[in-house]
Amino acid sequence: ETGVTQTPRHLVMGMTNKKSLKCEQHLGHNAMYWYKQSAKKPLELMFVYNFKEQTENNSVPSRFSPECPNSSHLFLHLHTLQPEDSALYLCASSHFLGDEPYEQYFGPGTRLTVT
Amino acid sequence: RKEVEQDPGPFNVPEGATVAFNCTYSNSASQSFFWYRQDCRKEPKLLMSVYSSGNEDGRFTAQLNRASQYISLLIRDSKLSDSATYLCVVNNGLTGGGNKLTFGTGTQLKVEL
């Protein structure tokens, strides 16, 4: 596989369920990101991991819990979500070295519906 | 003021037309800039980086004006396949590492026969 992959592609869950989203990057990058994209809104950065360490939590509610076991894998654990959490969840990865900015490459996303 | 501001459009143009999009950003310390393209119900894909001196990639030309804090994208000889939403993206960096990209809401382009 190449690029950034995400599973599942679609997920429907009830408000009391617990589920996890998975992201894997095959690009040799060392930074990984979770974004949320709701209808008619810009992409919102949720979490950033650099070399497996979380470097940004953009005021995300605790019902979203990220996990980064290594620089190729990223998870987003979900529990007791609300209907307004329904959105497209996108994972991205990039190089990061010192102060140099690099382009981010996105996975296809998981379309989440909370019922 | 929004961090990144774009005209949402839609811009409806005939095939072969030249179309330009502008974007403004609020953080004068922003480090780097990109244009991404997003097709309906798909993930964003990098179209091109934007350099201070301006850069061109085939039919696409990007310009950056740091003094006025705006970025532009020019598309020449529009194709039907150019129909998409074009996202203006600004990188503000993170002290702990990683890139903090801030996305505009996007400008929708529809190229018609």
Side-chain angles (χ1 to χ4, degrees), chain B residues 34-46:
Chain B
F34 307 94
W35 283 101
Y36 277 73
R37 169 194 170 132
Q38 187 170 25
D39 292 282
C40 188
R41 302 184 74 81
K42 296 283 185 73
E43 74 274 19
K45 293 187 177 176
L46 179 68

Side-chain angles (χ1 to χ4, degrees), chain A residues 31 33 35 37 42-43 45 48 50 55-56 58 90 94-96 99-108 111, chain B residues 31-32 34 36 38 41-46 49 51 87 91 93-94 96-105:
Chain A
Y33 312 79
Y35 288 88
Q37 188 173 33
L43 271 79
L45 179 66
V48 180
N50 187 30
T55 56
E56 179 83 357
N58 206 23
L90 290 157
S94 74
H95 288 296
F96 187 82
D99 293 329
E100 288 297 315
Y102 290 93
E103 299 91 349
Q104 292 183 16
Y105 293 85
F106 286 82
R111 190 159 295 280
Chain B
Q31 300 173 356
S32 55
F34 307 94
Y36 277 73
Q38 187 170 25
R41 302 184 74 81
K42 296 283 185 73
E43 74 274 19
K45 293 187 177 176
L46 179 68
S49 302
Y51 303 119
L87 305 171
N91 177 28
L94 288 168
N99 300 326
K100 183 171 184 178
L101 297 188
T102 301
F103 287 75
T105 50

Side-chain angles (χ1 to χ4, degrees), chain B residues 68-101:
Chain B
S68 301
Q69 294 179 211
Y70 82 77
I71 306 146
S72 65
L73 176 69
L74 183 77
I75 306 175
R76 289 181 299 280
D77 189 23
S78 301
K79 311 289 184 194
L80 293 174
S81 57
D82 293 335
S83 298
T85 297
Y86 290 83
L87 305 171
C88 175
V89 185
V90 173
N91 177 28
N92 294 320
L94 288 168
T95 53
N99 300 326
K100 183 171 184 178
L101 297 188

